[in-house]
Amino acid sequence: MVQYTFFQVTGFFLYPLKHTYLVLFNTAALAKCKTHCYKFYTSCSVVPRENTSLLHNLISMGVDIQKVRKRQPGVLRKQITNEKGVAKFLQNKGASKQTIANIISRYPRAVTRNFDHLEERWRLWRNIFNSDLDIVKVIDRSPESFFRSSDNKNLEENINFLSSLDFTSKDLLRLFTTAPRTFSNSCELNKQMVKFLQDVCFSLGGDRPDDFVKNIITRNIYVFIKSTKRVKANIEFVQTALNLTDEEMLVFLQGPGVDILALSNEYLKMNFKNAEHKLLSLGCSQLDVKNFIINYVSVLCTAPSNLTSKIDYLLQEGIHLEQIVAKPGVLGCSLETLKRRFGVLRSIKYNFNKYGISILYCSSKRFATKVEKLCFVAKE
């Protein structure tokens, strides 16, 4: 049975009509017509073309266009840009043409910033940095830190807020150079993190929250670019896993434990469980595991396969587990370094039981000096 649908059509094709007509359409034919109309509309849709003038300018500046298309392709379709102005601005600040090309290649949206915005932002940064070239180095490494945000007022508020926490110019400079995204955060977000850390201090029985916050931030400046949810989860997991009292946790966080705050929670759990399993399987007690991790928190930042392979290799070379637990810093060396040093020490018949294993993870210069001294003693 053929189905029909009524449509109300008002005359408007050639000239306005005040009459309305009821038109009868076959439903199947209408669906077919609708499909063809959609395809026609889609094929005729206008897709903004890339700005050829912008393309020419960027290519002449040495910008990697393929990288731009991959990172922020929409920039190339903008009709109003300021690539020449941005290049001139950076050049006047001491940036080389190669540096400018690298900055724009990595963060194309930089070409949309106007001179007044750039000048004001530079002025704010310059209050912290010692020279224009210092700023150029940071922007070259992290262009988004300077160009991503257009809110200079927020930047100024962040600088004033962090300064109010008794951060010195040196502290702020370190934040800028190592974790510049801190200043791209909304000031409110940074305030939330500070409030959260102060609450952590109080919950653990501390009575100097401002000092606690400063200790945390200056020791791990990446905390500001992590969520309070992640930091909280990490604190709760480590305190439970290591069975630390509030007082122990308070001390731990302001010391080596601060490194765990910015880690992914899943990564932290995986590394902890791997280290715990490995040590317990070798005969360590739960207390040994606790002391080992407290004394060598870096183990929680080490991939499971790396930790396991290094412990196995040390045991294979005759190092006792007690020596590894007592001197966990040896696990900070790469497996290649350990193998190379064992080769050297084996050739001079080094006695690990007598002299210990500290020689395995000292600096290259100190290692060479110690080996030379041992060789001299052996000749005598």
Side-chain angles (χ1 to χ4, degrees):
M1 181 178 180
V2 179
Q3 293 184 338
Y4 293 92
T5 301
F6 285 97
F7 280 87
Q8 182 173 302
V9 181
T10 301
F12 61 92
F13 297 98
L14 299 179
Y15 51 86
L17 295 177
K18 296 182 179 179
H19 300 285
T20 299
Y21 305 92
L22 287 176
V23 182
L24 185 67
F25 286 99
N26 179 291
T27 303
L30 183 64
K32 187 175 181 180
C33 177
K34 180 179 179 182
T35 300
H36 285 301
C37 288
Y38 175 76
K39 289 181 178 179
F40 175 76
Y41 172 79
T42 303
S43 63
C44 293
S45 296
V46 179
V47 178
R49 295 182 177 180
E50 291 181 344
N51 183 335
T52 53
S53 175
L54 172 61
L55 273 173
H56 175 76
N57 289 338
L58 294 181
I59 291 171
S60 66
M61 291 163 60
V63 173
D64 187 333
I65 300 301
Q66 293 306 314
K67 191 176 285 186
V68 172
R69 288 194 177 110
K70 184 178 180 180
R71 291 173 181 249
Q72 295 171 348
V75 171
L76 296 176
R77 295 192 288 271
K78 290 187 176 293
Q79 298 304 306
I80 300 176
T81 52
N82 186 35
E83 62 279 5
K84 289 184 178 179
V86 171
K88 185 177 180 181
F89 176 85
L90 290 172
Q91 199 167 9
N92 289 339
K93 301 300 182 182
S96 66
K97 290 183 179 181
Q98 184 178 354
T99 297
I100 294 169
N102 178 57
I103 289 171
I104 296 176
S105 298
R106 293 178 60 199
Y107 198 79
R109 205 170 292 150
V111 303
T112 64
R113 302 305 183 201
N114 63 54
F115 178 83
D116 290 339
H117 164 81
L118 295 175
E119 195 63 61
E120 174 63 13
R121 199 163 189 80
W122 198 277
R123 181 187 68 79
L124 292 170
W125 277 48
R126 193 64 177 80
N127 289 334
I128 306 300
F129 287 81
N130 297 320
S131 70
D132 287 343
L133 284 177
D134 287 337
I135 299 179
V136 170
K137 289 177 183 177
V138 173
I139 298 176
D140 186 27
R141 190 178 72 250
S142 176
E144 67 276 9
S145 65
F146 186 83
F147 291 103
R148 183 175 63 170
S149 174
S150 61
D151 193 345
N152 286 334
K153 182 180 179 183
N154 180 69
L155 171 61
E156 188 168 21
E157 287 176 353
N158 268 325
I159 293 174
N160 292 336
F161 170 63
L162 293 172
S163 297
S164 72
L165 298 175
D166 200 28
F167 283 114
T168 64
S169 295
K170 187 177 180 180
D171 294 329
L172 292 176
L173 179 61
R174 192 158 162 265
L175 274 170
F176 259 114
T177 54
T178 311
R181 277 182 51 197
T182 299
F183 297 89
S184 296
N185 287 346
S186 70
C187 188
E188 187 57 39
L189 195 63
N190 287 337
K191 287 180 179 179
Q192 287 176 16
M193 178 57 78
V194 169
K195 177 65 167 56
F196 165 75
L197 292 175
Q198 289 173 334
D199 290 343
V200 168
C201 178
F202 285 128
S203 69
L204 295 175
D207 57 2
R208 304 182 69 178
D210 291 343
D211 289 343
F212 178 80
V213 170
K214 188 176 180 181
N215 284 334
I216 295 292
I217 302 302
T218 53
R219 287 171 176 268
N220 190 339
I221 56 181
Y222 297 104
V223 169
F224 271 126
I225 58 178
K226 305 302 177 183
S227 69
T228 54
K229 182 179 179 181
R230 171 185 291 193
V231 176
K232 181 181 180 181
N234 287 355
I235 291 173
E236 290 176 347
F237 171 75
V238 169
Q239 184 170 14
T240 301
L242 292 179
N243 194 26
L244 297 173
T245 65
D246 286 351
E247 185 178 356
E248 288 175 328
M249 193 64 187
L250 190 66
V251 174
F252 182 65
L253 287 176
Q254 295 179 87
V258 73
D259 291 338
I260 61 98
L261 297 182
L263 295 177
S264 157
N265 190 246
E266 290 305 312
Y267 184 72
L268 174 64
K269 288 180 179 179
M270 177 182 68
N271 291 349
F272 176 86
K273 290 177 181 177
N274 174 72
E276 181 183 45
H277 174 74
K278 184 64 178 177
L279 293 173
L280 291 176
S281 69
L282 292 172
C284 287
S285 66
Q286 204 69 52
L287 181 60
D288 290 332
V289 173
K290 175 179 178 178
N291 292 333
F292 177 82
I293 292 177
I294 288 176
N295 293 326
Y296 187 64
V297 181
S298 296
V299 71
L300 299 178
C301 307
T302 305
S305 58
N306 288 341
L307 177 70
T308 300
S309 60
K310 281 187 275 191
I311 290 178
D312 288 344
Y313 178 72
L314 289 168
L315 294 175
Q316 174 190 316
E317 288 292 343
I319 304 301
H320 301 299
L321 181 62
E322 293 77 11
Q323 291 176 294
I324 300 174
V325 173
K327 300 286 184 179
V330 69
L331 298 173
C333 293
S334 68
L335 188 58
E336 292 71 24
T337 299
L338 289 173
K339 288 181 177 180
R340 187 172 60 253
R341 291 190 173 184
F342 265 108
V344 173
L345 295 172
R346 195 181 298 116
S347 68
I348 62 173
K349 298 180 180 179
Y350 184 86
N351 189 328
F352 287 102
N353 291 327
K354 181 178 180 180
Y355 299 111
I357 66 172
S358 297
I359 192 172
L360 288 172
Y361 60 98
C362 62
S363 67
S364 298
K365 185 176 180 180
R366 187 166 175 75
F367 178 77
T369 302
K370 282 190 172 186
V371 169
E372 185 179 352
K373 184 178 179 181
L374 288 168
C375 288
F376 179 76
V377 171
K379 288 179 181 179
E380 289 186 335

